[in-house]
Amino acid sequence: MLAFGTGMKFALMADIHANLEAFRAVLEDSKEQGCSHFAFLGDYVGYGADPKACLDLVRAMNAPCVKGNHDEYCATDVPVNGSSPAAAKTVLWTRKQLTEDDRRWLHNLPHVLTVEGFTIVHATLDGPQRWGYVFDRLAAAASFTYQNTSVCFFGHTHVPIALIRDTIIRGGTFSEIKIQAGKQYFVNVGSVGQPRDNNPKAAYAIYDMEKATVELRRSTYDVATTQRKIREAGLGA
């Protein structure tokens, strides 16, 4: 467990996907919101044209980090099976952009990590290395079985959602939730680099441990520059 003390304000970020413009915008917003600590939920690379720059920023922050599926793909030389042609193309390109040290760092990341009072994972808690998707209450039930903290943050789907378990599991989209004693929360913080919920703004969440609230934040960024870089790198669909 990584311990930081109480009263901390964490920015939770997932699925940066080598989108440097979105990542910088979210970092700026999080600092303006008074976040004192950061935690990253995987998929730092993949899709975008700035894997090295994004990874350098993440590593320099020395924050809690877990591994995503794209991180694993880009950290190894195993064949890319089961991915879309665009994703597979980007993995092969990204491997060439990273140093051996970068790839080793990605490969050695844990799948699950307990930070002060909460858990972080990229996909699911019941089989984090299988990269399953949680979009609803039924899929969340298996993860709740393995959740040992009141709050767990995850990513992978690029769709922000908050699932809450007390006597039953309920939940859905959210803007802010209050963490209450006796309940468990499985919260998707959305995607920094590639949102997929019909809102093009970069998404992340702030966990205010003193106020016991989780807020979904959105940041505008220079989409045109991001798209141009992807085209110039030959990564477009």
Side-chain angles (χ1 to χ4, degrees):
M1 175 187 290
L2 299 178
F4 295 90
T6 58
M8 300 294 97
K9 199 170 185 180
F10 272 86
L12 288 307
M13 302 180 189
D15 299 284
I16 297 167
H17 280 300
N19 186 336
L20 186 60
E21 289 71 37
F23 189 19
R24 283 175 171 166
V26 164
L27 286 174
E28 182 178 354
D29 184 74
S30 65
K31 290 171 183 175
E32 289 175 355
Q33 297 303 311
C35 292
S36 53
H37 291 80
F38 300 82
F40 296 96
L41 315 185
D43 275 5
Y44 314 95
V45 298
Y47 296 120
D50 286 299
K52 176 62 176 170
C54 289
L55 203 56
D56 285 347
L57 278 174
V58 170
R59 295 187 65 178
M61 294 173 72
N62 198 30
C65 296
V66 292
K67 186 192 315 188
N69 53 308
H70 283 261
D71 306 322
E72 180 63 18
Y73 303 153
C74 294
T76 67
D77 291 316
V78 299
V80 185
N81 299 319
S83 297
S84 67
K89 181 180 181 180
T90 306
V91 167
L92 297 175
W93 178 86
T94 300
R95 288 172 177 172
K96 299 176 182 178
Q97 312 307 311
L98 302 177
T99 66
E100 284 304 312
D101 183 63
D102 289 331
R103 296 178 73 190
R104 190 179 308 112
W105 185 84
L106 287 172
H107 181 68
N108 290 335
L109 287 174
H111 288 99
V112 183
L113 194 59
T114 302
V115 188
E116 178 68 25
F118 63 90
T119 306
I120 58 175
V121 66
H122 182 65
T124 68
L125 289 175
D126 57 308
Q129 75 286 351
R130 296 196 300 266
W131 315 118
Y133 290 91
V134 176
F135 285 105
D136 54 34
R137 293 172 292 173
L138 181 63
S143 285
F144 275 122
T145 302
Y146 290 85
Q147 187 168 322
N148 298 317
T149 58
S150 60
V151 183
C152 178
F153 296 101
F154 72 107
H156 194 38
T157 68
H158 299 212
V159 177
I161 189 174
L163 289 312
I164 305 163
R165 182 173 77 165
D166 42 31
T167 55
I168 61 171
I169 298 174
R170 67 192 83 210
T173 58
F174 74 102
S175 56
E176 184 172 296
I177 55 176
K178 178 74 173 179
I179 304 301
Q180 299 177 336
K183 297 182 180 181
Q184 283 188 306
Y185 300 80
F186 195 57
V187 182
N188 190 306
V189 303
S191 171
V192 171
Q194 197 185 81
R196 295 177 185 169
D197 62 337
N198 299 315
N199 186 330
K201 295 181 180 180
Y204 77 105
I206 295 177
Y207 182 22
D208 189 323
M209 299 183 72
E210 185 174 358
K211 294 181 180 179
T213 58
V214 177
E215 177 191 5
L216 181 66
R217 297 284 303 174
R218 297 281 189 172
S219 297
T220 57
Y221 70 95
D222 188 351
V223 176
T225 294
T226 297
Q227 292 174 334
R228 174 181 57 78
K229 287 181 176 180
I230 289 172
R231 289 194 301 269
E232 291 176 352
L235 301 176

